[in-house]
Amino acid sequence: MANLLTTLQKQIDQLEQQVHLANEQKFKEPYFDEQLFHTNKIVTDKTFYLEKIKQTYQALVANIESEKIEQITFLSETLVNQMAALTRELATHNLRQKEPKAIIEETLAQKHVRHLDYLRRLQEMKYELELSQDVINQSKIAALDNRIYRCEQAIKKIELEIENDIDG
């Protein structure tokens, strides 16, 4: 177990080095899923996410010492997902730098249509997965259900914003 924790710590240290090398850019959307990093703020500073990873790692170590199996499993999966997300972001960082500097503003109606399209595509993915002749992977279906739920919540939030703009 100690070897695994040492390996995780080394990977976190490597991520930290990459974060320090990355140039920061401002975006109007969060980098990651709000639930993965337990924040709903728009944070463009990658060191914020690195700190969240370190917090998850420390919680994992504490739970390993107290032998809380369910928490160990949950925190392990969370840590792996957090590290993968930050690694992907760092890998695509150079691509973002080539994007134009001007950020095109999107109207609420356009954002609503875009989210409705996301929802439709997610529902199609779930439908195709359920009709698949392969063994049904319940974890993939559950993940899609979770994404569908979050997309529906985002759509409701946008619809409320649209209503408030009309009323206001």
Side-chain angles (χ1 to χ4, degrees), residues 138-149:
Q138 293 300 327
S139 64
K140 285 184 181 179
I141 291 174
L144 280 172
D145 283 337
N146 189 15
R147 290 174 67 190
I148 288 169
Y149 171 78

Side-chain angles (χ1 to χ4, degrees), residues 7-115:
T7 302
L8 278 173
Q9 184 61 52
K10 285 179 183 177
Q11 289 178 343
I12 292 171
D13 292 342
Q14 287 174 344
L15 275 175
E16 185 171 18
Q17 290 173 354
Q18 290 175 343
V19 164
H20 291 303
L21 294 175
N23 293 327
E24 298 300 327
Q25 283 186 313
K26 301 292 181 198
F27 293 95
K28 292 193 172 206
E29 296 286 331
Y31 279 150
F32 307 108
D33 178 14
E34 296 171 355
Q35 293 174 338
L36 180 60
F37 286 94
H38 310 293
T39 183
N40 57 1
K41 299 185 294 184
I42 296 176
V43 180
T44 59
D45 182 11
K46 292 178 189 75
T47 54
F48 170 84
Y49 298 104
L50 181 65
E51 290 305 315
K52 290 288 191 175
I53 289 171
K54 288 179 179 181
Q55 290 171 6
T56 304
Y57 174 78
Q58 293 302 323
L60 176 63
V61 170
N63 281 287
I64 288 173
E65 290 171 1
S66 59
E67 300 179 5
K68 296 179 180 174
I69 301 300
E70 288 181 20
Q71 282 296 97
I72 293 171
T73 303
F74 172 76
L75 290 170
S76 297
E77 290 175 6
T78 302
L79 182 61
V80 167
N81 290 335
Q82 287 176 336
M83 291 174 65
L86 186 56
T87 301
R88 280 191 309 271
E89 173 58 33
L90 290 170
T92 60
H93 180 74
N94 290 334
L95 298 175
R96 286 184 191 240
Q97 288 179 333
K98 295 176 185 170
E99 290 179 0
K101 296 290 181 189
I103 297 175
I104 299 170
E105 291 293 325
E106 182 178 48
T107 67
L108 284 176
Q110 291 169 328
K111 191 173 183 179
H112 186 252
V113 168
R114 183 170 48 94
H115 278 73

